Amino acid sequence: MNDFREWISDNLRYLILGFGVFVVLVILVVGIKSCSKTVSTTSSQTVEESDEQAASDDTDADAAEYEEPLTEDDASLLDLIRTYYQALGNRDGNALSSVVENMTSSDVTAMINANNYITGYDVEHVYSKSGLTEGTYVVYVKYNYSCADISAKVPAFSQMYVVTSADGSLKIKSNTETDAEIAAYITKVTNNSDVRKLYSDAENEYNQVISSNPDLEVYLNGMGEASNASSGNQTRTAKEECNVREAASTDSDVIGGLSEGDEVEVLGQEGDWVKISYDGQEAYVFGELLN
């Protein structure tokens, strides 16, 4: 026992030193583990924050994609739209065909007859944004139209899609609703805040005019029936000598003919054929042969 105590006494300083080294090692191991856990957590948070920022940036980019500022009264677009509405007001099928892409004679007749109680159009402003591809445009038109026997002009707003044709001229694209990609793009652009404001302003202006003109409201609610009754049906003119047929078909019997410049009363439309009044009866002329 005395030998053990003597050994302890002789080696105490070494024992204390060894214990101290052990404690230091334990502290180092615990510290390293703690630091590793902190670094891991920080790295994870950094990755998550980076992912969130990237997602936010993507969302912002998607939103900004359709937030291009409106262009007002671009000279080329303004000229195109004014030509279109002038042709529509004049019931000029040839002029309409020159500014609207791929129009058939039936399209022309339907467009002319759609609002035949309107006597004229006055384009005020044309607003535009870039279209889906280069050389195309989403166009918004602020205009007024006049009705027969009504002095007040009616404010209106419309949307069109304009493309650049092979010869470099601008054309209004018809039937955009049948092209899903273009239709979706137009919807996104139209949902821009600046475009929604244009629609809202146009609606407010229309409501103000209607509220201050009761006769105009009655007239418009009647879809221009009073004008149609007083002014009769639309007339068109033969471009050249052509046959008048009993039915809307080249196989139908020829019951007469028109000379260049002859004016006929239009009763309706059947496909590419125009129904006319001829010698007191209904007859048909191929639409492309009439102005």
Side-chain angles (χ1 to χ4, degrees):
M1 186 68 175
N2 290 330
D3 291 340
F4 178 72
R5 287 178 179 175
E6 185 178 348
W7 181 85
I8 291 293
S9 175
D10 292 339
N11 293 282
L12 180 59
R13 58 179 178 175
Y14 299 111
L15 292 174
I16 293 174
L17 179 62
F19 180 75
V21 172
F22 175 75
V23 171
V24 170
L25 289 174
V26 170
I27 292 173
L28 286 174
V29 170
V30 172
I32 291 171
K33 287 186 176 180
S34 177
C35 289
S36 298
K37 192 174 294 184
T38 301
V39 170
S40 176
T41 302
T42 303
S43 300
S44 176
Q45 290 175 342
T46 301
V47 170
E48 290 177 0
E49 289 172 359
S50 298
D51 290 343
E52 290 175 358
Q53 183 62 43
S56 175
D57 291 343
D58 289 343
T59 301
D60 291 342
D62 290 341
E65 182 180 354
Y66 299 102
E67 289 294 341
E68 172 194 353
L70 281 163
T71 297
E72 183 175 349
D73 294 337
D74 174 86
S76 298
L77 292 172
L78 187 61
D79 182 62
L80 172 72
I81 300 305
R82 282 180 171 164
T83 300
Y84 167 81
Y85 276 106
Q86 182 178 10
L88 195 59
N90 293 336
R91 309 289 194 267
D92 188 339
N94 288 335
L96 280 173
S97 297
S98 72
V99 295
V100 181
E101 186 182 59
N102 300 326
M103 283 199 74
T104 66
S105 60
S106 57
D107 291 333
V108 171
T109 301
M111 188 176 292
I112 289 175
N113 288 336
N115 297 313
N116 56 7
Y117 60 92
I118 295 177
T119 58
Y121 299 86
D122 176 29
V123 176
E124 287 191 358
H125 294 289
V126 171
Y127 305 91
S128 61
K129 294 198 177 193
S130 298
L132 190 59
T133 57
E134 185 177 356
T136 64
Y137 308 89
V138 183
V139 176
Y140 303 92
V141 186
K142 184 179 186 297
Y143 64 98
N144 299 300
Y145 63 87
S146 304
C147 302
D149 304 322
I150 299 291
S151 59
K153 290 187 176 182
V154 184
F157 196 77
S158 66
Q159 179 275 313
M160 301 177 184
Y161 196 77
V162 174
V163 300
T164 303
S165 60
D167 63 4
S169 63
L170 296 176
K171 295 286 184 73
I172 298 168
K173 185 174 180 61
S174 59
N175 303 318
T176 54
E177 66 278 0
T178 62
D179 188 314
E181 190 175 13
I182 291 178
Y185 184 84
I186 291 173
T187 298
K188 289 181 179 179
V189 173
T190 301
N191 281 331
N192 285 181
S193 57
D194 51 0
V195 178
R196 291 200 304 270
K197 186 177 186 303
L198 288 178
Y199 274 99
S200 177
D201 291 346
E203 183 178 6
N204 290 336
E205 186 178 353
Y206 174 84
N207 290 335
Q208 289 174 3
V209 171
I210 293 299
S211 63
S212 60
N213 292 273
D215 290 342
L216 178 61
E217 182 177 15
V218 171
Y219 181 85
L220 293 176
N221 287 340
M223 298 294 290
E225 291 176 0
S227 174
N228 290 339
S230 62
S231 61
N233 289 300
Q234 174 208 353
T235 60
R236 293 178 68 176
T237 305
K239 295 180 182 178
E240 57 188 68
E241 289 189 2
C242 55
N243 292 324
V244 177
R245 296 183 180 273
E246 187 177 29
S249 169
T250 53
D251 296 329
S252 175
D253 292 338
V254 175
I255 60 175
L258 299 176
S259 299
E260 181 180 355
D262 283 353
E263 190 175 85
V264 292
E265 181 182 3
V266 175
L267 302 179
Q269 181 86 22
E270 290 188 19
D272 290 333
W273 294 80
V274 177
K275 181 191 292 187
I276 65 171
S277 175
Y278 183 77
D279 287 344
Q281 62 180 314
E282 293 182 356
Y284 294 85
V285 176
F286 191 64
E288 292 185 0
L289 301 176
L290 301 175
N291 287 319

